[in-house]
């Protein structure tokens, strides 16, 4: 027994100082100097001041934010400082060390104490009301007894009734007031708890440290501590500002909407935005063998990939196959992203499976697609997008401050001037509005990533649109809204049905009307369409005549004309409207076997 007590005393003597040291950490001076924000994470770099004394030292950096990915921690030394190890640890604390969190906690405690006092008052009031109810019952029985004996004192009885009535009225008002105060306090406490969750990241009793062991020469020095954090991302946004003067450049404000909910403020930091994945793994995943298995269409092995939709006479089947292959690509991209995230977390086994599964999906797509579909997939996915999008990095010029908070914060990446070529576009088969567009070429040094765009003409808001990926040197088009001084209409003039040999022939005559109320001439692209048949030997579609020659633009002739899309490039003179409106009359012929019918018109 004595020996066990002695052992317990020795253990307590060894453990208590260790607990005291863990609870009383004196962190080294450090500050966040650089942050690289990726699509779903951010790499934070802290500059840590090392002690001046020579030799081996243990440096504690605290606190790290709640969103820190513990396996991502690494440190880099400078001249005269060799980093031996860097590790992540958590420790329990009695209260959060951050001032804003302590302030909210104190407010919650203060409100809770007031709530307890009010609830005690309410309980006392309710007990008094219950006693008053008993007094009413006692009074009633006493009055009955005194009345029976002829001893009733009317003045005392009236005074007692008035006392009970007044007391109950006052108590009722006090009870309602207390309940209202209690409800207001409870609402305030719930709000303060939400504020606490926002400021503390939902955790207020755990501190996170980095412990760096270094071997250094004498003299001051610095260490760079790096770690990945979740709850950080960014996405591109744009503002296009066009002038009412057509020769003025279009100003592109290239913006970044940054989500910063890491629990750590970034104050006066160098900020980099990147679309790449952070790479913390030194070796690639292992390549495994690609096993081929046989499965019926209703019993796919492993559930992935799913059965390929069969191509057939139904036009929707080709669309189903196209959607299927796009789904495979999305699944593959998602698996590749998860693989890199797990490599950063040092979960190599899972990352290896995900990377190999992603490649297997793409190889199955190549197997299942026809030769034509393979070419279409390649055309729809430019080289720079095949691997999930281009990897671009933007180093922002000025030091920036981004506090941790729930809403997105908008930063400007660059302000770009681009020379426009304005024109108007009419699509009377779809709308009577005529839209003003600007043909732009990305002559800047920035790749414009896909994102939401807000468009202004002068100081007026025009609308919103989406910008696709625009590589450097690539042309693109931005709409600047409908022009109220232009309009377009389309109507069927005649329809004739005849037969020629074994075919039935339908002839359609249409007229397009363009009205301008502007005081200056404008160039307008007018678009329409004829039916287009994949099986050209079964249905013949021919443009018979047109009062205005179709466009000879090389890109239109190559890409759009084979789809039976019609385009005319016309010039509207000032105030050309009403009976002076510009007209385009055209006629097309649709011929097909007399024994068949047109099943449906599908917009593709």
């Amino acid at each position: 027994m004595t020996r066990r007590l002695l052992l317990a005393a020795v253990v307590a003597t060894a453990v208590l100082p260790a607990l005291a040291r863990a609870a009383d950490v004196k962190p080294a001076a450090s500050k966040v100097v650089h942050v690289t924000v990726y699509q779903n994470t951010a790499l934070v770099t802290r500059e840590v001041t090392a002690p001046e004394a020579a030799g081996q030292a243990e440096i504690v950096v605290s606190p790290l934010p709640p969103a820190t990915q513990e396996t991502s921690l690494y440190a880099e030394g400078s001249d005269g400082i060799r980093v031996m190890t860097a590790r992540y640890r958590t420790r329990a604390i009695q209260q959060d060390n951050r001032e804003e969190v302590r302030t909210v906690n104190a407010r919650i405690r203060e409100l809770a104490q007031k709530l307890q006092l009010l609830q005690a008052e309410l309980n006392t009031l309710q007990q008094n009301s219950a006693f008053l109810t008993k007094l009413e019952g006692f009074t009633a029985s006493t009055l009955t007894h005194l009345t029976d004996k002829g001893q009733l004192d009317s003045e005392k009885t009236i005074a007692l009734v008035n006392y009970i009535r007044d007391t109950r009225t006052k108590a009722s008002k006090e009870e309602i007031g207390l309940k209202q105060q209690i409800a207001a306090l409870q609402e305030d406490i719930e709000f303060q708890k939400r504020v606490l969750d926002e400021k503390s990241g939902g955790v207020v009793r755990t501190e996170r440290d980095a412990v760096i062991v270094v071997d250094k020469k004498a003299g001051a020095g610095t260490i760079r501590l790096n770690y990945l954090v979740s709850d950080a991302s960014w996405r591109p946004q744009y503002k296009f500002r066009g002038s009412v003067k057509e020769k003025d450049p279009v100003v592109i404000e290239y913006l970044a909407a940054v989500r910063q909910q890491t629990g750590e403020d970034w104050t006066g930091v160098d900020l980099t935005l990147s679309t790449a994945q952070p790479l913390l793994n030194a070796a690639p995943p292992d390549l495994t063998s690609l096993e081929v298995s046989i499965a019926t269409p209703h019993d796919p092995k492993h559930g992935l990939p799913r059965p390929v939709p069969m191509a057939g006479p139904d036009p929707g089947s080709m669309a189903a196959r196209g959607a299927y292959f796009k789904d495979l690509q999305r699944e593959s991209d998602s698996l590749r992203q998860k693989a890199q995230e797990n490599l950063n977390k040092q979960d190599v086994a899972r990352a290896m499976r995900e990377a190999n599964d992603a490649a297997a999906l793409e190889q199955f797509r190549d197997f299942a697609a026809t030769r034509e579909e393979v070419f279409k997939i390649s055309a729809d996915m430019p080289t720079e997008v095949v691997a999930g999008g281009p990897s671009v990095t933007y180093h922002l010029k000025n030091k920036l401050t981004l506090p941790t908070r729930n809403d997105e914060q908008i930063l400007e990446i660059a302000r770009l001037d681009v020379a426009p070529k304005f024109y108007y576009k009419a699509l009377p088969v779809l709308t009577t509005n005529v839209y003003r567009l600007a043909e732009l070429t990305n002559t800047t040094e920035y790749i414009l990533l896909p994102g939401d765009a807000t468009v202004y003409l002068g100081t007026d808001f025009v609308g919103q649109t989406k910008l696709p990926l625009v590589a450097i040197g690539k042309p693109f088009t931005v709409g600047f809204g409908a022009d109220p001084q232009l309009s377009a209409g389309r109507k069927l003039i005649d329809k004739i049905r005849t037969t020629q040999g074994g075919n039935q022939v339908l002839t359609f005559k249409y007229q397009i009307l363009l009205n301008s109320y502007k005081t200056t001439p404008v160039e307008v692209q007018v678009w329409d369409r004829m039916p287009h048949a994949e099986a050209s030997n079964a249905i013949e579609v021919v443009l018979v005549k047109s009062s205005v020659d179709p466009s000879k633009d090389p890109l239109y002739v190559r890409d759009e004309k084979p789809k039976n899309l019609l385009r005319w490039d016309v010039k509207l003179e000032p105030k050309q409207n009403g009976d002076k409106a510009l007209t385009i009359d055209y006629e097309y012929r649709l011929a097909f076997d007399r024994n068949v019918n047109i099943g449906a018109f599908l917009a593709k």
Side-chain angles (χ1 to χ4, degrees):
M1 181 68 177
T2 303
R3 185 174 298 175
R4 284 200 299 271
L5 289 174
L6 180 60
L7 179 60
V10 171
V11 171
T13 305
V15 169
L16 287 176
L19 292 174
R21 286 195 302 273
D24 188 23
V25 173
K26 293 183 179 179
S30 67
K31 63 177 181 178
V32 177
V33 294
H34 188 273
V35 178
T36 300
V37 184
Y38 298 100
Q39 298 290 281
N40 297 298
T41 56
L43 181 64
V44 179
T45 300
R46 277 190 186 227
E47 200 171 77
V48 184
T49 303
E52 296 189 3
Q56 186 170 313
E58 186 176 87
I59 302 170
V60 177
V61 181
S62 181
L64 298 183
T68 303
Q69 297 180 11
E70 56 185 88
T71 57
S72 67
L73 205 73
Y74 68 94
E76 301 167 308
S78 56
D79 292 341
I81 300 179
R82 179 169 61 94
V83 175
M84 300 178 68
T85 184
R87 59 185 176 88
Y88 174 92
R89 75 177 182 193
T90 59
R91 54 188 172 84
I93 56 173
Q94 187 169 1
Q95 65 175 356
D96 201 297
N97 290 329
R98 288 168 289 180
E99 180 64 29
E100 65 272 19
V101 175
R102 291 203 302 270
T103 301
V104 178
N105 267 324
R107 175 64 177 161
I108 291 175
R109 285 195 296 271
E110 178 186 346
L111 293 172
Q113 291 172 357
K114 289 182 179 180
L115 182 62
Q116 287 177 344
L117 291 174
L118 289 175
Q119 286 175 333
E121 289 184 33
L122 180 62
N123 289 336
T124 301
L125 189 63
Q126 290 172 339
Q127 290 174 2
N128 291 341
S129 296
F131 176 76
L132 196 64
T133 300
K134 292 181 180 179
L135 180 61
E136 285 178 330
F138 172 77
T139 302
S141 61
T142 302
L143 288 175
T144 302
H145 179 71
L146 292 175
T147 301
D148 293 340
K149 291 188 175 184
Q151 299 177 353
L152 179 66
D153 188 336
S154 59
E155 292 184 359
K156 290 182 179 180
T157 301
I158 292 172
L160 181 60
V161 170
N162 288 337
Y163 169 77
I164 293 173
R165 181 196 64 197
D166 294 342
T167 302
R168 185 172 292 284
T169 301
K170 182 181 178 181
S172 177
K173 291 180 178 178
E174 289 180 356
E175 183 174 353
I176 292 174
L178 285 173
K179 287 182 177 179
Q180 290 175 341
Q181 292 181 60
I182 289 172
L185 275 175
Q186 289 173 334
E187 185 176 342
D188 199 356
I189 289 173
E190 288 302 316
F191 172 74
Q192 294 297 330
K193 287 180 178 179
R194 292 197 298 271
V195 173
L196 181 64
D197 286 341
E198 179 181 332
K199 292 184 176 298
S200 66
V203 182
V204 296
R205 291 293 181 265
T206 301
E207 201 71 282
R208 300 157 186 81
D209 304 332
V211 181
I212 309 170
V213 179
V214 299
D215 186 22
K216 66 183 294 294
K217 299 178 182 177
T222 58
I223 303 162
R224 292 184 303 278
L225 174 65
N226 304 273
Y227 48 89
L228 284 175
V229 289
S230 56
D231 295 330
S233 62
W234 77 280
R235 60 187 180 91
Q237 284 186 352
Y238 302 90
K239 281 186 169 56
F240 287 88
R241 300 187 185 274
S243 173
V244 292
K245 299 179 180 179
E246 294 193 357
K247 294 184 179 180
D248 289 349
V250 170
V251 178
I252 304 174
E253 296 177 10
Y254 194 175
L255 309 174
V258 181
R259 182 175 65 93
Q260 208 282 69
Q261 300 174 0
T262 64
E264 171 182 62
D265 292 339
W266 302 336
T267 305
V269 301
D270 292 321
L271 193 69
T272 298
L273 305 174
S274 178
T275 61
Q277 281 276 1
L279 301 176
L280 302 185
N281 55 299
D286 294 331
L287 183 65
T288 60
S289 63
L290 185 65
E291 297 291 336
V292 179
S293 58
I294 301 298
T296 66
H298 302 288
D299 183 29
K301 298 297 182 182
H302 312 298
L304 187 71
R306 301 179 301 279
V308 186
M310 299 299 293
D314 178 12
S317 63
M318 296 303 296
R321 286 174 63 87
Y324 172 80
F325 292 132
K326 287 180 181 178
D327 285 345
L328 287 186
Q329 186 62 47
R330 279 193 287 268
E331 290 179 29
S332 173
D333 291 342
S334 176
L335 284 170
R336 288 186 185 278
Q337 181 175 332
K338 290 178 182 178
Q340 186 56 57
E341 290 173 356
N342 284 317
L343 281 175
N344 292 338
K345 295 176 182 178
Q346 299 180 17
D347 191 347
V348 178
R350 179 176 294 180
M352 183 184 71
R353 288 195 305 271
E354 289 166 341
N356 279 277
D357 286 346
L361 284 175
E362 294 173 1
Q363 290 177 279
F364 177 78
R365 179 200 65 202
D366 294 343
F367 163 77
T370 64
R371 184 172 182 271
E372 291 74 18
E373 287 170 335
V374 168
F375 289 144
K376 189 176 187 309
I377 291 168
S378 299
D380 291 343
M381 296 166 47
T383 304
E384 66 268 22
V385 188
V386 171
S391 295
V392 297
T393 300
Y394 302 121
H395 301 281
L396 304 192
K397 297 178 181 178
N398 301 320
K399 292 185 181 295
L400 299 165
T401 295
L402 280 84
T404 178
R405 67 189 198 196
N406 283 342
D407 57 321
E408 289 183 326
Q409 302 172 63
I410 306 299
L411 307 176
E412 185 173 272
I413 297 173
R415 187 184 293 258
L416 313 169
D417 289 350
V418 180
K421 180 183 177 182
F422 284 103
Y423 65 95
Y424 292 86
K425 187 172 184 177
L427 303 100
V429 69
L430 301 180
T431 175
T432 59
N433 295 320
V434 179
Y435 287 81
R436 188 184 194 213
L437 291 90
E439 188 176 286
L440 309 171
T441 300
N442 184 11
T443 55
T444 72
E445 59 183 6
Y446 293 88
I447 294 176
L448 303 181
L449 300 170
D452 296 328
T454 306
V455 184
Y456 296 85
L457 186 60
T459 57
D460 296 334
F461 169 78
V462 172
Q464 295 178 327
T465 185
K466 289 190 177 293
L467 187 72
L469 174 71
V470 182
I472 296 173
K474 183 178 180 179
F476 63 105
T477 302
V478 175
F480 281 86
D483 191 318
Q485 293 183 299
L486 298 173
S487 66
R490 173 183 183 269
K491 60 182 179 179
L492 176 65
I493 301 298
D494 198 2
K495 175 184 174 182
I496 303 170
R497 181 186 295 271
T498 60
T499 57
Q500 289 182 359
N503 291 335
Q504 52 182 318
V505 179
L506 296 176
T507 302
F508 296 87
K509 297 181 180 181
Y510 286 93
Q511 185 179 77
I512 294 173
L513 292 173
L514 298 172
N515 289 279
S516 172
Y517 299 89
K518 300 178 76 68
T519 57
T520 57
V522 291
E523 303 286 341
V524 182
Q525 288 184 12
V526 184
W527 290 75
D528 207 329
R529 65 188 178 191
M530 302 184 298
H532 176 260
E534 295 285 350
S536 56
N537 58 338
I539 302 176
E540 179 187 48
V541 182
V542 177
L543 178 64
V544 177
K545 61 182 178 180
S546 172
S547 62
V548 177
D549 291 337
S551 172
K552 293 180 173 57
D553 179 77
L555 290 179
Y556 160 71
V557 173
R558 185 191 71 185
D559 298 332
E560 310 299 340
K561 189 175 181 180
K563 302 174 187 176
N564 281 353
L565 296 180
L566 302 175
R567 169 182 160 183
W568 299 273
D569 298 334
V570 299
K571 183 177 182 180
L572 274 175
E573 299 298 336
K575 298 183 180 180
Q576 187 176 0
N577 57 71
D579 58 351
K580 298 179 183 178
L582 189 149
T583 62
I584 301 175
D585 295 295
Y586 76 94
E587 176 183 325
Y588 74 84
R589 184 178 67 241
L590 188 66
F592 51 94
D593 190 281
R594 67 172 62 186
N595 296 318
V596 301
N597 293 315
I598 301 296
F601 279 12
L602 300 174
K604 293 178 66 176

